[in-house]
Amino acid sequence: MTQTAGGADVLTAHAMVMLNDRPVVPLSPAISEALTECEGTNRTLQLVTSATSRVTLPLRASKAQWLVHADNGYYEGLTGRPMHWNGNAFVPLPEARDYASTYTTPPTAPIGNQLVLTFQARHGPSAVLGAHAEKLMRLLTGEPPKGWGRTEPLQHPWHTDKLTTHVTNTSSTQLIAIGTGTRPAIATSHFSPLVPPGSGTAEQTTLTIGYTYDEDPPIPQLPSFIDLLSADHPLTALLAQLVPGRADLTTEPRWTGSSAPIGLASAGAYTGPPGFSRKRLGPPDAPVTWYQLGDGYSPEYWQRHQDLLTHLRRTT
């Protein structure tokens, strides 16, 4: 095992290990650089923290594997699966039959809800990028994004023209945007060129909004928000779900509950399948069909989501 020039603590043929015991661990420039190095060398970045650490949403959404040191051992921060070091990397503990005990202890703060909207869009060569995320953030928080960047803390004030220039000058890039107001809001976006013969940019963005335990997310208003969004900014698809979690959008290495679907929007005008409540949204020349899947609190409705996807794949 050797130390890397980039500051990682352990380097093997299979893994790069970085130790970080900060109270809140962000997607820092050093971690981003390590992720790039791991991608180029076919390694896994394994980030080790204490059980009192939390990770930010952009770091959670990255390809880093979060390991937690507790109970005289290690476990995966997002799954609770016990792990151990085998000389090359942290791997699952073969004899483990349950979650790590620290993972199943109550969270340190009251658990609220995170409204998660994941959408896909296709943009022409001259399109201004970032407009979808800005519109949704305004609708849900009342404020535009505050800034954008590749790592945390963010490097640039919010400006869609400058964001567009950055993306168009990069073959493929992932960006972060944060909200302006008191309502926690973070968008993580991946932009890439459309596959030929298409020209322009493909976007997949996940926007997450935080709510405290005594607040009700605006689930009934979502179809009207999507209607307003698609009127100016056409969508390919959008999935809405509710995830139990901290309102500040950081993640503790503890179980907080299962996500549950709310609804799915798909570009086009659909008449089926039977048994699904649907609503036509968007302008006549770019219609979107909204399917209500559940209430956001019932994880069993993920089966309805799978059934709907199967139907849509057969009809497109």
Side-chain angles (χ1 to χ4, degrees), residues 9 17-26 28 31 46-50 53-54 59 66-67:
D9 295 280
V17 180
M18 297 181 73
L19 309 179
N20 196 318
D21 278 342
R22 294 177 60 177
V24 177
V25 185
S28 65
I31 292 176
Q46 297 187 314
L47 181 68
V48 182
T49 76
S50 69
S53 295
R54 292 175 278 137
L59 179 57
W66 182 20
L67 282 301

Side-chain angles (χ1 to χ4, degrees), residues 145-164:
K146 179 180 181 180
W148 67 275
R150 295 184 62 250
T151 59
E152 300 174 283
L154 305 188
Q155 299 84 20
H156 311 286
W158 183 253
H159 197 296
T160 52
D161 287 345
K162 293 183 179 180
L163 183 151
T164 301

Side-chain angles (χ1 to χ4, degrees), residues 2 50 128 138 143 202 216 228 234 267 300 305 312:
T2 60
S50 69
V128 175
R138 284 182 182 274
E143 300 286 347
D216 293 323
L228 290 169
E300 63 269 18
H305 175 248
L312 294 175

